[in-house]
Every structure is written in structure tokens, then in C-alpha cells.
Amino acid sequence: MCRRPVLNPPARPTVVSLRDVGKTFSSGTTALQHLDLDIRQGEILSLLGPSGCGKSTALRIIAGLGEASSGNVAWAGGGMDHSRDVGFVFQEPTLMPWASVFDNVWLPSRLKGVSRKAARDAVMQALDSVGLTAFAQAYPRELSGGMRMRVSIARAMVTRPRLLLMDEPFAALDEITRQKLNDDLMRLQAELGWTVVFVTHSVFESVYISDRIVVMAARPGRAFAELIIDAERPRGAAFRTTPVYVDYCRQASAALTSAIGRAAETVDGH
Amino acid sequence: MCRRPVLNPPARPTVVSLRDVGKTFSSGTTALQHLDLDIRQGEILSLLGPSGCGKSTALRIIAGLGEASSGNVAWAGGGMDHSRDVGFVFQEPTLMPWASVFDNVWLPSRLKGVSRKAARDAVMQALDSVGLTAFAQAYPRELSGGMRMRVSIARAMVTRPRLLLMDEPFAALDEITRQKLNDDLMRLQAELGWTVVFVTHSVFESVYISDRIVVMAARPGRAFAELIIDAERPRGAAFRTTPVYVDYCRQASAALTSAIGRAAETVDGH
Amino acid sequence: MSAISSADDAVTPSAPSRQGPPALLKWLLPFAFLVVVLGLWEYCVAAGLTPMKVVPAPSEIWAAFFREWETLGPAWLFTLEVTLKGFVLAVAGGVCLAILFSLSRLVEYTLYPYAIILQVTPVLALAPLLLVIFSQATVLLICVWLVAFFPVLANTLIGLRSTDHNLLNLFELYRASSWQKLWLLRLRGALPYFLGGVRIAGGLSLIGAVVSELATGAGGARGGLGYIIYLAPRYFAYPRAYAALVLLSLSGIAIFLALSYLSHLLLHKWHESALKREN
Amino acid sequence: MSAISSADDAVTPSAPSRQGPPALLKWLLPFAFLVVVLGLWEYCVAAGLTPMKVVPAPSEIWAAFFREWETLGPAWLFTLEVTLKGFVLAVAGGVCLAILFSLSRLVEYTLYPYAIILQVTPVLALAPLLLVIFSQATVLLICVWLVAFFPVLANTLIGLRSTDHNLLNLFELYRASSWQKLWLLRLRGALPYFLGGVRIAGGLSLIGAVVSELATGAGGARGGLGYIIYLAPRYFAYPRAYAALVLLSLSGIAIFLALSYLSHLLLHKWHESALKREN
Amino acid sequence: EDLVKVRFGTNWLAQGEHGGYYQAVADGTYKKFGLDVEIVQGGPTANNATALVAGKNDFYMGGNLVEVFSAAKEGIPLVAVAATFQKDPQILMTHPGVGLDSWEDLKKAKTIFIGPDFQATGYAWMKAAFGFTDEVVKPYDFNPGPFIADKGSVQQGYVASEPLQVEKGGGFKPNVFLIADQGWNTYSTLIVTRQDIIDSKPDVVQKFVDASAIGWATYLYGDNKLGNAAIQKDNPDMTDENLAFAVKQMKAYGIVMSGDAEKSGIGAMTDEHMKSFFDKMVAVGLYKPDFDFKKAYTLKFVNKNVGSDLIKK
Ligand SMILES: Nc1ncnc2c1ncn2[C@@H]1O[C@H](COP(=O)(O)OP(=O)(O)OP(=O)(O)O)[C@@H](O)[C@H]1O
Ligand SMILES: Nc1ncnc2c1ncn2[C@@H]1O[C@H](COP(=O)(O)OP(=O)(O)OP(=O)(O)O)[C@@H](O)[C@H]1O
Ligand SMILES: O=[N+]([O-])[O-]
Ligand SMILES: [Mg+2]
Ligand SMILES: [Mg+2]
């Protein structure tokens, strides 16, 4: 693992860019409006924002699941073929109830034609990294909430996708596990040059792992503030004790508070 | 809201006591073994522990859902009639997909025979406290993950139950909302003398709101350490900046780390 | 934290629906297909490709409708009435039995075999016995019931047994009575299964009415479509028989559409089978 | 973070099962109930409470089994063979049609009406026409198919349409082919509905075989239970007719039990309808 | 006023073959004998035999002797009290000029349309007596279409009904073979009742038999307008032409008036005739030779020449 200086973000090529994206559901709820967002190659980008502000919706649009109602989603190199290489940790575990833990994690490889035998090592390794090797043959209903989420994480990582979209992946995990998985994620991202979009509610977590944080405001959901975390990598537990870290956390927290306040204002003004 | 000195915990009467409780599922997994736990009148008790250690299972047994495979669950005053007055926030939102948000929150009152009209004010107030009044007529599928969880919280609180069991209720919420709901919970608990058992993965949250923290170890799940948070109430944002708070957090964190380490050891020793 | 209701949104771009074919095509294609089918049929008859006289051309059937409406109309009403009455009884009976069986496995094991016996007993065999005891009108309804109740029972029972265990826990926590659990939880969750069973029962009621007419001899002057379909060919009134078959088919399709619409009304807000995908 | 597998647990207290009645009772009660039913029946006949001679006592039916086994045995086999063949075809056809219809709403709207027409067309009316073109054995299978395919089609289609939208998103994200989506997702999720339809079709195949025997005239020396049930009462051999009905009922129950067991095998690990509740 | 209520179940929808009974209802003959008769139509699958056994009806129109013999064999106390048809009107028909022009030719046919009832009785006898086979049988469900469409086929029918249908529907006069002429000498359209009715109300039985004979004599040889109207009321598909054809055929083939009836009147039965048919059935293996077939009928109510005076030759 090599020490890597933080690149000046704009110097990185853009993978996807959302321009003036809006999403209105048939129920009438406008989840997103005028959302501008660039995802840049090799960065960890965190989305922070109040509950219901459209983070999951934005992530799904990036993944090509559900079209935007308005605006534009442009991929580098044109086309969506790129996204063949996407991993997604949904906010809910989204496991197949009829398949064992092993089979659930095998799924992405299986869909690419990899046999059970060929996938075995990669699947077991992914399960090991989330501490679930002993439960490979269990069914989802036999797992705790956190365990189910870990299966989902293992499934997203098993194919080592170049773009990883994660929707509050660690929210249901204890802090020790969460810390470990944060570190694992950063290590793999650095090693393999992944691009990661990471939705979280934890200001601390977002500062700890991100290159950039976009704070969203709700109703309609849009990018409200951007924060570049210009801290050296690799980061470890020690980073959490630095004044830089604490300062970033304070900034992010303030941005979040005012994003929530602003939204409340908007609605009150209606 | 009156200032209330922390009672010497043993002086409070016990509401439920679990003695040597074990739970083994038919799959063969032993979720709990030799668990001893007392819930005391009017306290906020947090359960902290690694993912899969049996917190949810313990909470369900306390609520009378799913019997223990061994051991004893004793209620003060004998019998479970007491539990008629239980509220439960499950780890998953557990909403009826065919019912609107209003109807989901109405449910506990409805089951007690309260008409829609009679329940209306209480339901709308509960929805207001979780910021969802505008979504009263929406269906669960039209909500974000965090919004669904908030509906579940509103449902548990709407009948003002004397015993409140909460399984990671705020994990899917942003920190500002979470802070607000933590404060709301403490205020109501003090006003109404609730007993609260609170499962969380956040060491900070557990210290902030609890009178007592029980740290559980996994495989088999059992009480590993107990921490009494002997800090004055009411507590507010300021509490988070006190050295006492930081110290408690460090203690809880250490207990959690060693609970996880100990469990790992046990298994390695197999 | 606060929310906007749908009405608040002024700037709602009207998104083109990703899902499903345009409404026009949705009706046009089935219609075009029908025209092709009828055209081909007419041609085959005209070209003498069908067994002589046995299969009349659509145009002949069409003519028979008007010519023989005096016979067909009352027969159709007769069959429809029996069908609908029997259908309602079958749905009610199927649901009641399903609820009874869902009370406990013991009840289910004890009584389910008899439900199966009722399903597999041919009405042709049973009708003469029933006629000894009951009036013709009653036997007719019993027979339709026998033919149609089982899918409702079987599907509803699966639905009642498929209740989400987490929601069951919730209801038990709040000390819901059995009745509340049934009405507010189990039956709602069973709806998609139940409605599926009801749709199957719709067609079965119709065919049951036709068969039972023959089995109970509810024929003669007051006969229904069954008699016409069965007896008209005897007098070479093939167009009349086919006209009756067309009425039967149209009734079946109408019943199915009505039940599908009901199903849509009850499910489209929440069940995947009726929900529009939006993400 | 680590885990124990089930085998690791030495100290597993054997918990008494909360669920369900004790195994003994589970079989004893239905059996006891059967004895009561038969006893009552025997008594009613002996006491002359049933219409004279038309309903034989269980003991007479029992005797008829042995006396007439030479007729009943081959007839039973004949009907069973037709039933099973037709059942397999109905299940296969129903599933294929459901898959076809699930491809798009357009296909569904265009073709579903014809499926309904097939469901509501009485085999008694159709068989003579089919016999002009096909052999008797073929027509027999077509008729059974017609009677039994619809529940499989209707239920499977609902199941295919009920696929969890989140899982669909997952599959689309991973660029699953239509075939993969169908095989690995839609059909698995549709299993509970499909199996429900199959269980309904089981009984319908049996009754379909019996009716179709008469409609196609597959009788005489090589006839099945349908012929016996129809003709024996005409020649007053009521015990024989009832013995055939008993065989029919037993076959129906056996088919149902076999299909229920299959359903249990396929679902008990994951679907609520077959899952034991543990919390 | 003091009419005795009587329910008589037929074996098919109202048609010319039931003419005498409808005539007796319509012209008040039954009433004159003190009976209030209700005719319960049979139908394609309705089973009026069971209704008689179960006590719902009082009389049943039996198709042939196999029915009453079988009842006796099963211990069911049914008794034939009169035989309206001296000959079974069952026929086989073929297309003319296709090489199926004699009884012997019929065995060469690839397809024979036979209903289930006749297949179990008359056709079983034909198999034994002439070597017909089950393999060629297709079901006849009263729809002559398939027969008309298939020139090489043979179809069952009633001499008083199907030939006209085929002529009208197919545009050709079919060859007609009365099976009775080949030795199938069962009585037909029998009046059947239960032993307990004979025991308790012999007078009612006698009145029904006598009034029916008068009805038949009137229907065939007198003014049958009322009878035909009654038939058409129950079965509107029956045209005047159908009914006229039925009467013509029944007369031409001696269905009602031939053999014993010429001597003893409509409904006549004799022990010899019974024995002759029974022996044929024994030869086919339907009954054991020692079976007491005499339980199945009684001659008590017939052979009294009732109504013979109305018959004009
Ligand atoms: N299928 C849907 N139909 C209608 N409205 C929807 C649907 N899905 C989401 N919404 C609405 O869109 C808005 C944004 O939802 P989204 O799930 O993107 O929020 P989020 O930022 O992920 O929230 P959370 O942090 O709670 O997960 C919410 O107001 C929600 O009510
Ligand atoms: N229905 C079940 N069948 C079999 N095993 C189960 C079942 N439910 C839970 N378990 C097992 O019991 C153990 C404890 O589960 P539980 O849900 O209580 O954990 P938890 O402490 O709540 O975890 P988390 O923090 O992830 O929610 C886990 O190992 C899980 O695999
Ligand atoms: O009654 N017939 O057999 O025509
Ligand atoms: Mg979300
Ligand atoms: Mg849990």
C-alpha cells in the first residue's frame, strides 16, 4: 500500500456527470430538482443529507436504475457500458430469500457466467472480509440485520467493480466492525483505483473516508454544499485525533445543519 | 421538565428479569446463552454489542415474542399483562405495505379499539414529532429508508407505552434528526416515567441517553460488561462536551472492543 | 425536517412513462389480432378447409346472433344468473373454509381431504343424487359451487399462511385478537393470492354452470347456454351453437376483466404485481 | 468478527417445539374424524335414513372393491395415466404461457382472452370437433389440458409479476439477461404462486380426465373411472360407482399430498407459507 | 279432484318417441283414469333411473331390458310393467354408396359413433355376435356432424329421429339398419316401477299402464295434435316435421305395433320373448344362466288389449 498524495480533484477525469437532474415520482413527490453532480475517477465521494433528501434516488439514477424525469446523465466515454462494472450496496440488504448466503454473494459472478466452483474462492474471501464464512450455507432469514447487510456488502465487492455505489452500507454495524470495514474499503479503493460514491449519515465517517463530501438539501433534493477533504492517505485511526479531522467534521456538520434548516425554511415559506 | 437526580439504580424496582436465558434456533445457531439481565423501572438501558450477538433476539424475548429455549423470564407483579403496555421499534420498519402512513401509525390504537377519528390527533402529533405530517397519506413504498423507520418510531410512541423497546431506531437517520429524536426520547421518558431498552451501535448515543449500558458478547450471546452512566439529567448537547461524557465513551468503547475480542478468542480456541 | 405534499410541487416536469406500451397500442394490437384471427377463420371456411358445415364462418355466427336472439338472450341470462350466484357462493365458501383451515394445522389436516374430495367429485355423478333431495335450482348452485370453490380455498389458504412473520410479531406484541389478526393482517396479506383464486373461480363458475345445466337437466324451454351448445348441433344449428359459445367466451372474458379491475383497485397502491416500477 | 457454525454448538438445549400439534395428534385426529364420518354413514344407511339403495353403506363399497377389482383396477390405472400425462402437459403449458404473457403487457392483452376462451369452452362441446382431426388418445390429453392449464397459467403469471422490485433492480444493475432474470429471479419468486396453481391443477386434471373420458368416448373395455361412475348407476351398480368415486377421491388426495410435499421441499427454507415461526 | 299424483321420468328430452305419454297427459286420458301425471324430462346426462330408485319418481321410461335385468342383479327391486316398444328403435346409419351398404359391411368401417350407454349394452352384444371391436368406436354425443363429415363412418341413432336429421343436415338419405332386425330383440321404452309401488298401489300401476297404452294408440293412429303441442312445449327444438317423421317411422318399422302387441295390445310382453333376449345376454357373458331374470318384470298389467280398439290398420 503506497502513500498517495491527494490529487487536486478537478485534475481527475469525470466518470459520470449529472446536470440539472430532476426526479418526480408518479405520487407527485419531487425527490430531486436541479441536481448537479460530478463523480470523478478514483475518488471517494460521500453524499450527506437529511433523511428523505434524495440520496438513494440519486444513487439509483447514477446506476442507471430509474431514469431521471429531467436533466442529463453523461458518462465518460459515452454510453453506459461502463456501468457493466458497477457494484451497488442498496440501503436495504436486498437478498434473495430462497438462496443461501453463498449463492447470494455468488450472484454477480454467476450472472457473468462464472461457475460456482470458479467463484468459490472469491466468494469465500468476500465473506471472510465481512466475518461471515461460517454462515455461507445459512439463509438470509437466519441472519441478524447487520449480518444481512454484510452479505450485501460482500456481494457488491466480490466482483471488484471499478465503480462502487454504497447506500449507508455500515449503518447497521457496530462501531468496531464499521471501523474495520471503513479501513478495508479505503485500502481496496487505493489498491484497485476504485471510484466510490458513499451515502452515509455519519459526519465522522464521511470525513474519515472521503476525498469529497457533497451535502444535499431536501425538498427538492439538490447539492447544497461541497467540502473537499484534503487530507493525506492512507488514513488510519490516528487521523481521527488530528485537528484537521475535527475541523472538517465541524464544517460538514455545519453544512448539514444549514442544509436542513434551509429546507425547513423553504417549506415554511410555502 | 424537572431536573432529576440519578437514582441509585439498584433502588429502582425491577420490571423484568432474565435469568440464565438461552435461545437456540432450529438451524442450530445459539443466539443467546446464560444471559442474565434486569430491566429496572424508569431507566434507559442500552444494549451494545457486535453485530449478530443476539441483541434483537433478547429484545424479542423481553417482549414475549418467541420463547427462550432455556432459562427464565420473570415479570414484576407476575404475568405478562404488564406487557400490554409495550412499544417496540423493530430493527426493520415492519410496516403494512397496504396501509398508508397514517393507518400504520394508527394501528396500535386501532387494535385497542380506538377509532380513526379519536386517534387522529395523537397520530398526527406522533408524525409531526418525526417530521412526516405531510406524508400521512403516502404508502410505505413511497418513502425513503429513513422515513420508513421514522414511521415505525412514531407508531411505537403513539400509545405512550410504559415500556419501550427500541432496536437501533435511529441508525438510518442523519445526525441532526437523530440528535433531535434522542432529546425527544429523553424528554418524554422523564415526563412519563417510561422504561426504555435501547439497542444501538453508537457508543456515543448509548452514553448520551442511557442510565446503564450492558455490553454483550457474541457466540453465544451473553452480558459481557455493565456500565452505569451516573450523569445528571436532563442532558443536552452540552453534555457531549463534558470530560465525563468522553470518559464514559472511552470505557464503553473499550468494553465493546474487548467483548468482540473475547468472542473471537473463544471461537479461535475451538 | 419537514415535507412537501404532492400538491405543493409547481415545477413537476411531466415524465414520459417508461413502462408499458402506449395506451393506444395496448388496445389496438389485441383488436388487430382478433381481426386477423376472424379473417383467417372466415377464409378457411370459405375455402372449404374446415370439416363441412361443422364449423360455421364468423359471419354466419354473427348472423345467428340476430336471427336467434330470442333463444340466445334468455339462455344467456339464465346461465349468467346461475354463474354469478354460484360464483358468489364459491368465493364466500372458499374464503370461509380457508379461514377455518387456517385456524390450525389440525383442522386443516382433518378437513382438507374432504375439500379435495369435493373438488374431484364429478358433478355429473353427484347431480342425480342431489336432485333426489334438493330442487333443481338448488342443485344447480351446489354444482357450480363444487366446480368453483376450490381455487379460492387453496389460494386463500396459501395467502393466509404467507403472512409476514415480522408483522405477525407486531400484531402479537399489541395483543391483537385473532379476529383483528385475521381481518387487519392475514386477509390483507392474502389478497393477491385470494384475488388470483377468484379470477380462476370466475371462469370455472361459468363452465360449472354450463356443465351443471346438463347434469341437472335444467334445460328444455328454460335452458341456458349449456343446452344450446350441447343440443343445437343435433339439429344442425351450428351457427346457434357457436353463437352460444361466443356468448360464453365473452362472458368469461368480461368476468375476468371485471375481476382484474377489482384486483387492480385493491392492489395497485402497494403490491408488486400491480405496482408500476419507478426505480 | 467471526461466527460459529451449527456443528460447533455442544450445549444446545433441545427446545420443545412451540408450533403445531404433536405429531401423533396430527395423524390421529384426521383418522378419528374419518372413522366417525364412516360410522355415521354406515349407521344412516342401516337405519334407512338414506334414499333407498342409491347410497350404499361403506361396508358395501368396501366389499365392491374386492368383488369388482378386476373392473376397477384397470379403469383406475387408465384414468390415472391420462390424469398424470394431462397434468404434466397442463403444468408445462401453463408455465410456458405465463412466461410468454409475462414478456410484455402487449402480449398479455393480445393473447390472454384466448386463454380465457380455452378455459370456459366446455370439453363436452369441443371433443367431437377435435375427434374429427385427432386420435382419441390425443383428444383425451387435449381435454385434460384444457381443464387444468388455467390455474397454473393464472397463478404463475401473478407470481412472475410479483417479483420484488428491489431484486429486479439488482439484476438489472448486473446486466442480467432476460433469461437469467426469468430463471434466477422471476421463477423463483413465483414459486409459491406457481405451486398453488399446480395443486389446484392436480385435482382439475383428475376431474378433467373423468369428464374427458365421457366426452371422447374412451370407454368400453378400455374405459376408465369416468365410465364406471357414469354408467354403473344407470345399471344400478351403485356400490361399484361409489368404489370408483372412492378411488377417484383417494387419487385426488394422494396427488394433493404429493404436490404439497413437493411444495414443502421447495419452500420450507425460505417462504413464509412453509416456514416455521421462531420468533 | 281426487287425482293421484304420479311422476314419470323419461330418458331424454321430449320427442316423438315419447309421444303416447305426452298425448295421454295433454288429452286428459290420465286424468280420466284418476291420475295427475307429471312428465319429468330426461336429458343428455340427467339420470331419472336413480330418481325412481331413490323414491323421487314413481315410474321411469326404461331404454331396454338390460336396465331392469341389471337392477335385479344388483338387488334393486325395479320391475318392468309394460313394454311400449316391441322393437328397440336403435339403428346404425351409413353414407350410401361408399361400400357400407349391408350389415356385413359395417364391420369394415374405420369409425363407428356410439354413445356410452349403447356401447355398454347393444354394442357389447354386437361385438360378441358379429365381431365388432371397441377400437373403431368414437363417442356419439347426439351431434351427427362428425358422421356427416366422415363418409366412411357409421353412426348410432333412433330410427325415428336421426335419419331425418342426417337427410336435412347432410343432404343425403343414409342407409338405415335397425339393430333389432339383426337379433337385438330387447323390448324398449318400458314402463318401469318399484316393487313397493306394485305391492301398495297396484291399481295406480294398472291405470298408468292402461292410460299410457290409450295415449300411444291415439298418438300413432288418432289425432295427435295435443300430444305434439305438449312435446313442443317441453322441447321447442321439435318441429312439426320432426314429429311427423317420428310417427311415420315408428309405424313403418313396427316399433310399437308388431309381434306380441298385434295380438295382446300396446305394451305387450311375454315370458318367451324375455327368455330369448336373456339367453342372448347370457351368451355375451352379461349374466349367469342361473340368474332369475323373471324378478325384473311382471306380466300382471299387460296383454289386455287396452286401446287396441283405437288402432286403425
Ligand atoms: N417509489 C417512490 N415513490 C414515490 N416517492 C418516492 C419513491 N421513492 C422515494 N420517494 C420519495 O423521494 C424522496 C427521496 O427518497 P430517497 O430514498 O432518495 O431519500 P434518501 O435521501 O435516500 O433518504 P434516507 O436517508 O431516509 O434513505 C423521499 O421524499 C421519498 O418520499
Ligand atoms: N430466525 C432465525 N433462525 C436462525 N438463526 C437466527 C434467526 N434469527 C437470528 N438468528 C441468529 O441469531 C444470532 C443473533 O441474532 P440477532 O438478530 O439477535 O443479532 P443482533 O445482535 O440483533 O445483530 P445485529 O446488530 O446485526 O442486528 C445471529 O447469529 C443470527 O444468525
Ligand atoms: O335418445 N337417443 O339415444 O337419441
Ligand atoms: Mg436512502
Ligand atoms: Mg439486531
Side-chain angles (χ1 to χ4, degrees), chain D residues 136 213-214 216-223 227 231 235, chain E residues 90 112-127 133-140 156:
Chain D
Q136 202 177 54
E213 253 171 50
L214 295 175
T216 61
R222 305 159 287 111
Y227 258 73
L231 281 181
Y235 300 101
Chain E
Q90 295 284 359
I112 303 185
F113 293 100
I114 299 282
D117 290 283
F118 192 67
Q119 193 178 2
T121 54
Y123 196 74
W125 170 78
M126 282 164 60
K127 283 192 295 182
T133 63
D134 274 326
E135 274 63 45
V136 296
V137 170
K138 283 191 182 182
Y140 172 54
Q156 172 204 350

Side-chain angles (χ1 to χ4, degrees), chain C residues 71-91:
Chain C
T71 317
L72 287 170
W76 187 33
L77 285 184
F78 179 89
T79 300
L80 264 193
E81 192 187 325
V82 173
T83 300
L84 294 182
K85 280 185 187 161
F87 171 72
V88 169
L89 292 177
V91 171

Side-chain angles (χ1 to χ4, degrees), chain B residues 23-30 33 60 65-67 69-70 219 260 263-264 267 270, chain D residues 1-9 11-16 18 166 276-279:
Chain B
K23 173 78 183 184
T24 300
F25 289 98
S26 62
S27 67
T29 306
T30 299
Q33 205 171 23
R60 275 197 294 260
L65 303 169
E67 271 167 34
S69 313
S70 62
R219 312 186 202 295
I260 292 176
V267 173
H270 260 275
Chain D
M1 209 173 349
S2 52
I4 44 162
S5 78
S6 41
D8 288 346
D9 286 312
V11 221
T12 304
S14 73
R18 271 195 317 151
N166 293 322
K276 232 176 83 190
R277 263 182 83 199
E278 290 201 278
N279 50 60

Side-chain angles (χ1 to χ4, degrees), chain C residues 4-276:
Chain C
I4 45 164
S5 77
S6 42
D8 289 345
D9 285 312
V11 221
T12 303
S14 73
S17 160
R18 272 197 314 152
Q19 242 78 37
L24 188 70
L25 200 62
K26 219 169 74 178
W27 292 106
L28 209 67
L29 195 79
F31 188 75
F33 187 75
L34 179 68
V35 168
V36 170
V37 167
L38 292 180
L40 223 79
W41 179 354
E42 185 87 34
Y43 170 80
C44 283
V45 174
L49 297 176
T50 53
M52 158 191 179
K53 285 273 190 186
V54 171
V55 179
S59 55
E60 291 176 71
I61 298 172
W62 182 248
F65 263 115
F66 297 96
R67 198 176 56 237
E68 320 230 20
W69 186 248
E70 255 172 69
T71 317
L72 287 170
W76 187 33
L77 285 184
F78 179 89
T79 300
L80 264 193
E81 192 187 325
V82 173
T83 300
L84 294 182
K85 280 185 187 161
F87 171 72
V88 169
L89 292 177
V91 171
V95 170
C96 290
L97 283 178
I99 290 172
L100 183 70
F101 291 6
S102 77
L103 291 181
S104 95
R105 288 274 174 195
L106 217 55
V107 177
E108 182 184 346
Y109 290 141
T110 308
L111 297 183
Y112 216 136
Y114 302 91
I116 298 168
I117 291 175
L118 290 180
Q119 187 205 13
V120 302
T121 299
V123 293
L124 287 181
L126 211 61
L129 291 181
L130 293 174
L131 281 170
V132 172
I133 308 168
F134 303 105
S135 78
Q136 203 177 53
T138 311
V139 175
L140 213 50
L141 289 186
I142 295 177
C143 288
V144 176
W145 190 89
L146 282 174
V147 173
F149 86 101
F150 194 80
V152 178
L153 161 61
N155 262 23
T156 308
L157 190 57
I158 298 176
L160 290 174
R161 291 223 181 284
S162 298
T163 317
D164 184 337
H165 288 188
N166 293 320
L167 283 173
L168 263 182
N169 280 340
L170 179 76
F171 273 67
E172 276 166 19
L173 182 85
Y174 288 116
R175 296 275 185 274
S177 65
S178 300
W179 168 248
Q180 287 175 322
K181 260 195 267 183
L182 182 69
W183 177 241
L184 294 176
L185 177 59
R186 300 200 106 114
L187 280 173
R188 314 278 165 134
L191 262 186
Y193 286 91
F194 163 73
L195 291 167
V198 164
R199 260 182 288 180
I200 298 171
L204 284 181
S205 301
L206 202 55
I207 188 91
V210 165
V211 172
S212 306
E213 252 172 51
L214 298 175
T216 59
R222 306 158 290 108
L225 293 179
Y227 258 73
I228 294 180
I229 290 167
Y230 193 77
L231 291 179
R234 196 170 198 223
Y235 306 105
F236 298 96
Y238 289 108
R240 194 202 300 167
Y242 274 81
L245 276 174
V246 169
L247 281 179
L248 195 65
S249 299
L250 290 180
S251 308
I253 293 170
I255 291 173
F256 189 87
L257 285 180
L259 293 174
S260 296
Y261 183 66
L262 178 75
S263 182
H264 173 79
L265 283 185
L266 291 172
L267 299 182
H268 79 285
K269 291 249 180 170
W270 65 277
H271 193 258
E272 318 267 358
S273 67
L275 218 51
K276 232 177 85 191

Side-chain angles (χ1 to χ4, degrees), chain D residues 127-208:
Chain D
L129 290 181
L130 293 174
L131 281 169
V132 172
I133 309 169
F134 303 105
S135 79
Q136 202 177 54
T138 310
V139 175
L140 211 51
L141 290 185
I142 294 177
C143 288
V144 176
W145 189 89
L146 282 175
V147 173
F149 86 101
F150 194 80
V152 178
L153 161 61
N155 262 23
T156 307
L157 191 57
I158 297 175
L160 289 173
R161 291 224 181 283
S162 299
T163 317
D164 183 338
H165 288 188
N166 293 322
L167 283 173
L168 262 182
N169 280 340
L170 179 76
F171 273 67
E172 276 166 18
L173 183 85
Y174 288 116
R175 295 276 185 276
S177 65
S178 300
W179 168 249
Q180 287 174 323
K181 259 195 268 183
L182 181 68
W183 177 242
L184 294 175
L185 176 59
R186 301 200 106 114
L187 279 172
R188 314 278 164 131
L191 262 186
Y193 286 92
F194 164 73
L195 290 167
V198 164
R199 260 181 289 180
I200 298 170
L204 284 181
S205 300
L206 202 56
I207 187 93

